[in-house]
Coordinates of all heavy atoms in Angstrom, one line a residue:
P1 N -10.3 62.8 59.3 CA -11.7 63.2 59.6 C -11.9 64.7 59.5 O -13.0 65.1 59.0 CB -11.9 62.7 61.0 CG -10.8 61.7 61.2 CD -9.7 62.1 60.3
E2 N -11.0 65.5 59.9 CA -11.1 66.9 59.7 C -11.2 67.4 58.3 O -12.0 68.2 57.9 CB -9.9 67.6 60.4 CG -9.8 67.5 61.9 CD -8.5 68.1 62.5 OE1 -7.9 68.9 61.8 OE2 -8.1 67.6 63.6
L3 N -10.4 66.8 57.4 CA -10.4 67.1 56.0 C -11.8 66.7 55.4 O -12.4 67.4 54.6 CB -9.3 66.4 55.3 CG -7.9 66.9 55.5 CD1 -6.8 66.0 54.9 CD2 -7.8 68.3 55.0
G4 N -12.2 65.5 55.8 CA -13.5 65.0 55.3 C -14.7 66.0 55.7 O -15.6 66.3 54.9
K5 N -14.6 66.4 56.9 CA -15.7 67.3 57.4 C -15.6 68.6 56.7 O -16.7 69.2 56.3 CB -15.4 67.5 58.9 CG -16.5 68.2 59.6 CD -16.3 68.3 61.1 CE -17.3 69.0 61.9 NZ -17.1 69.1 63.3
A6 N -14.4 69.2 56.5 CA -14.3 70.4 55.8 C -14.8 70.3 54.3 O -15.4 71.2 53.8 CB -12.8 70.9 55.8
M7 N -14.4 69.2 53.7 CA -14.9 69.0 52.3 C -16.4 68.9 52.3 O -17.1 69.4 51.4 CB -14.2 67.8 51.7 CG -12.8 68.0 51.3 SD -12.1 66.5 50.6 CE -13.0 66.4 49.1
G8 N -17.0 68.2 53.2 CA -18.4 68.0 53.3 C -19.1 69.4 53.5 O -20.1 69.7 52.8
K9 N -18.6 70.2 54.3 CA -19.2 71.6 54.6 C -19.0 72.4 53.3 O -20.0 73.1 52.9 CB -18.5 72.3 55.7 CG -18.9 71.8 57.1 CD -18.2 72.6 58.1 CE -18.6 72.1 59.5 NZ -18.0 72.9 60.6
G10 N -17.9 72.3 52.6 CA -17.7 73.1 51.4 C -18.7 72.6 50.3 O -19.2 73.5 49.6
L11 N -18.8 71.3 50.1 CA -19.8 70.8 49.1 C -21.2 71.2 49.5 O -22.0 71.6 48.6 CB -19.6 69.3 49.0 CG -18.4 68.8 48.3 CD1 -18.3 67.3 48.4 CD2 -18.4 69.3 46.8
N12 N -21.5 71.2 50.7 CA -22.9 71.6 51.2 C -23.1 73.0 50.9 O -24.2 73.4 50.4 CB -23.0 71.3 52.7 CG -24.5 71.3 53.1 OD1 -25.4 71.3 52.3 ND2 -24.7 71.4 54.4
E13 N -22.2 73.9 51.1 CA -22.3 75.3 50.9 C -22.4 75.6 49.4 O -23.3 76.4 48.9 CB -21.2 76.1 51.4 CG -21.3 76.4 52.9 CD -20.3 77.5 53.3 OE1 -20.1 78.5 52.6 OE2 -19.8 77.3 54.4
F14 N -21.6 74.9 48.6 CA -21.7 75.0 47.1 C -23.0 74.6 46.6 O -23.6 75.3 45.8 CB -20.6 74.2 46.5 CG -20.6 74.2 45.0 CD1 -20.1 75.3 44.3 CD2 -21.2 73.2 44.3 CE1 -20.1 75.3 42.9 CE2 -21.2 73.2 42.9 CZ -20.7 74.3 42.2
K15 N -23.5 73.5 47.1 CA -24.9 73.0 46.7 C -26.0 74.0 47.0 O -26.9 74.3 46.3 CB -25.1 71.7 47.3 CG -26.3 71.0 46.8 CD -26.4 69.6 47.4 CE -27.5 68.8 46.9 NZ -27.6 67.5 47.5
S16 N -25.9 74.6 48.2 CA -26.8 75.6 48.7 C -26.8 76.8 47.8 O -27.9 77.3 47.4 CB -26.5 75.9 50.2 OG -27.3 77.0 50.6
H17 N -25.7 77.3 47.5 CA -25.6 78.5 46.7 C -26.0 78.2 45.3 O -26.7 79.1 44.7 CB -24.1 79.1 46.7 CG -23.7 79.7 48.0 ND1 -24.3 80.9 48.4 CD2 -22.9 79.3 48.9 CE1 -23.8 81.2 49.6 NE2 -22.9 80.3 49.9
A18 N -25.7 77.0 44.8 CA -26.2 76.7 43.4 C -27.7 76.6 43.4 O -28.3 77.1 42.4 CB -25.6 75.3 43.0
N19 N -28.3 76.1 44.4 CA -29.8 76.0 44.5 C -30.4 77.4 44.5 O -31.4 77.7 43.9 CB -30.2 75.2 45.7 CG -30.0 73.7 45.4 OD1 -29.9 73.3 44.3 ND2 -30.0 73.0 46.5
R20 N -29.8 78.3 45.3 CA -30.2 79.7 45.4 C -30.2 80.4 44.0 O -31.1 81.1 43.6 CB -29.4 80.5 46.4 CG -29.9 80.2 47.8 CD -29.3 81.3 48.7 NE -29.0 80.6 50.0 CZ -28.0 81.0 50.8 NH1 -27.2 81.9 50.5 NH2 -27.8 80.3 51.9
I21 N -29.1 80.2 43.3 CA -28.9 80.8 42.0 C -30.0 80.3 41.1 O -30.6 81.0 40.3 CB -27.5 80.6 41.5 CG1 -26.5 81.4 42.3 CG2 -27.4 80.9 40.0 CD1 -25.0 81.1 42.0
T22 N -30.2 79.0 41.1 CA -31.2 78.4 40.3 C -32.6 79.0 40.5 O -33.3 79.3 39.6 CB -31.2 76.8 40.5 OG1 -29.9 76.3 40.2 CG2 -32.3 76.2 39.6
E23 N -32.9 79.1 41.8 CA -34.2 79.7 42.2 C -34.3 81.2 41.7 O -35.3 81.6 41.2 CB -34.4 79.7 43.7 CG -34.6 78.3 44.2 CD -34.6 78.2 45.7 OE1 -34.6 79.3 46.4 OE2 -34.7 77.1 46.3
D24 N -33.2 81.9 41.8 CA -33.2 83.3 41.4 C -33.4 83.4 39.9 O -34.2 84.2 39.4 CB -31.9 84.0 41.7 CG -31.8 84.3 43.2 OD1 -32.8 84.2 43.9 OD2 -30.6 84.6 43.7
V25 N -32.8 82.5 39.1 CA -32.9 82.5 37.7 C -34.4 82.2 37.3 O -35.0 82.8 36.4 CB -31.9 81.6 37.0 CG1 -32.2 81.3 35.6 CG2 -30.5 82.1 37.2
K26 N -34.9 81.2 38.0 CA -36.3 80.8 37.7 C -37.3 81.9 38.0 O -38.2 82.2 37.2 CB -36.7 79.5 38.5 CG -36.1 78.3 38.0 CD -36.6 77.1 38.8 CE -35.9 75.8 38.3 NZ -36.3 74.6 39.2
E27 N -37.1 82.6 39.1 CA -37.9 83.8 39.4 C -37.8 84.9 38.4 O -38.8 85.5 37.9 CB -37.5 84.3 40.8 CG -38.0 83.5 41.9 CD -37.5 84.0 43.3 OE1 -37.0 85.1 43.3 OE2 -37.6 83.3 44.3
S28 N -36.6 85.1 37.9 CA -36.4 86.1 36.9 C -37.1 85.8 35.6 O -37.7 86.6 34.9 CB -34.9 86.3 36.6 OG -34.2 86.8 37.7
V29 N -37.0 84.5 35.2 CA -37.6 84.0 34.0 C -39.1 84.1 34.1 O -39.8 84.6 33.2 CB -37.2 82.6 33.7 CG1 -38.1 82.0 32.6 CG2 -35.7 82.5 33.3
D30 N -39.7 83.8 35.3 CA -41.1 83.9 35.5 C -41.6 85.4 35.4 O -42.6 85.7 34.8 CB -41.5 83.3 36.9 CG -41.4 81.8 37.0 OD1 -41.4 81.2 35.9 OD2 -41.4 81.3 38.1
V31 N -40.8 86.3 36.0 CA -41.1 87.7 35.9 C -41.1 88.2 34.5 O -42.0 88.9 34.0 CB -40.2 88.5 36.8 CG1 -40.3 90.0 36.5 CG2 -40.4 88.2 38.3
E32 N -40.1 87.8 33.7 CA -40.0 88.2 32.3 C -41.2 87.6 31.5 O -41.7 88.3 30.6 CB -38.7 87.7 31.7 CG -37.5 88.5 32.2 CD -37.6 90.0 31.9 OE1 -38.0 90.3 30.7 OE2 -37.2 90.8 32.7
D33 N -41.6 86.4 31.8 CA -42.7 85.7 31.1 C -44.0 86.5 31.4 O -44.8 86.7 30.5 CB -42.9 84.3 31.5 CG -41.8 83.4 30.9 OD1 -41.1 83.8 29.9 OD2 -41.7 82.2 31.4
K34 N -44.2 86.9 32.6 CA -45.4 87.7 33.0 C -45.4 89.0 32.3 O -46.5 89.5 31.8 CB -45.5 87.9 34.5 CG -45.8 86.6 35.3 CD -45.9 86.9 36.7 CE -46.2 85.6 37.5 NZ -46.2 85.8 39.0
K35 N -44.2 89.7 32.2 CA -44.2 91.0 31.5 C -44.5 90.8 30.0 O -45.2 91.6 29.4 CB -42.8 91.6 31.6 CG -42.5 92.2 33.0 CD -41.1 92.8 33.0 CE -40.8 93.4 34.4 NZ -39.5 93.9 34.4
D36 N -44.0 89.7 29.4 CA -44.2 89.4 28.0 C -45.7 89.2 27.7 O -46.3 89.6 26.7 CB -43.4 88.3 27.5 CG -41.9 88.6 27.4 OD1 -41.6 89.8 27.3 OD2 -41.1 87.7 27.3
K37 N -46.4 88.5 28.6 CA -47.8 88.1 28.5 C -48.7 89.4 28.6 O -49.7 89.5 28.0 CB -48.2 87.1 29.5 CG -47.6 85.7 29.1 CD -48.1 84.6 30.1 CE -47.5 83.3 29.8 NZ -47.8 82.3 30.8
E38 N -48.2 90.3 29.4 CA -49.0 91.5 29.7 C -48.9 92.4 28.4 O -49.9 93.2 28.1 CB -48.5 92.3 30.9 CG -48.8 91.6 32.2 CD -48.2 92.3 33.4 OE1 -47.5 93.3 33.2 OE2 -48.4 91.9 34.5
N39 N -47.8 92.4 27.7 CA -47.7 93.2 26.5 C -48.3 92.6 25.4 O -48.8 92.4 24.6 CB -46.2 93.5 26.3 CG -45.6 94.4 27.3 OD1 -46.3 95.2 27.9 ND2 -44.3 94.2 27.6

């Protein structure tokens, strides 16, 4: 049970960080698109 709990926490953290990175990349792409449209 301890190993299962630790693996669950690890997977949850990995998923959380992956989602944050995805959001950061989307924001960067949106900012670049806005800059391109302004020029």
Side-chain angles (χ1 to χ4, degrees):
E2 293 174 22
L3 289 172
K5 188 176 181 180
M7 285 182 64
K9 283 183 179 180
L11 286 173
N12 195 15
E13 279 194 39
F14 177 80
K15 190 175 181 182
S16 173
H17 288 291
N19 286 337
R20 280 193 215 148
I21 290 171
T22 303
E23 289 172 7
D24 289 344
V25 169
K26 285 181 182 179
E27 288 176 10
S28 296
V29 169
D30 289 343
V31 168
E32 290 296 321
D33 286 345
K34 287 180 182 177
K35 285 182 181 177
D36 288 342
K37 287 180 182 178
E38 289 175 358
N39 292 330

